[in-house]
Amino acid sequence: VDCATAGVAGPVCGAAGALGADRVLRIAAGDDSAFGHRATYDGWRDRLRQVKVSARPDCPLCATGEIGAIDASRYTTGACQSP
């Protein structure tokens, strides 16, 4: 069986889950190298890429490292509101 007949969705989902679990474990262990970049995985070419991400000075979370308040209206629409 090859990828053309079996597909690659399962293995790519498995790789994405493993990458996410690795990131969570690194953060939980206090590994600061888990921050400051975004990882992307190209399942077609089987390539993992890391792109550097900088903190935005105008972002309240990036600037202070603390979440001051969570405003539900920023994350929901009228269709999501319960009556």
Side-chain angles (χ1 to χ4, degrees), residues 33-68:
S33 71
F35 299 101
H37 61 273
R38 175 176 293 273
T40 62
Y41 176 66
D42 181 348
W44 187 265
R45 294 180 182 87
D46 191 28
R47 291 189 183 142
L48 179 65
R49 181 176 73 142
Q50 293 190 6
V51 179
K52 184 176 177 174
V53 181
S54 299
R56 292 187 345 232
D58 62 330
C59 170
L61 180 59
C62 293
T64 65
E66 297 178 6
I67 298 174

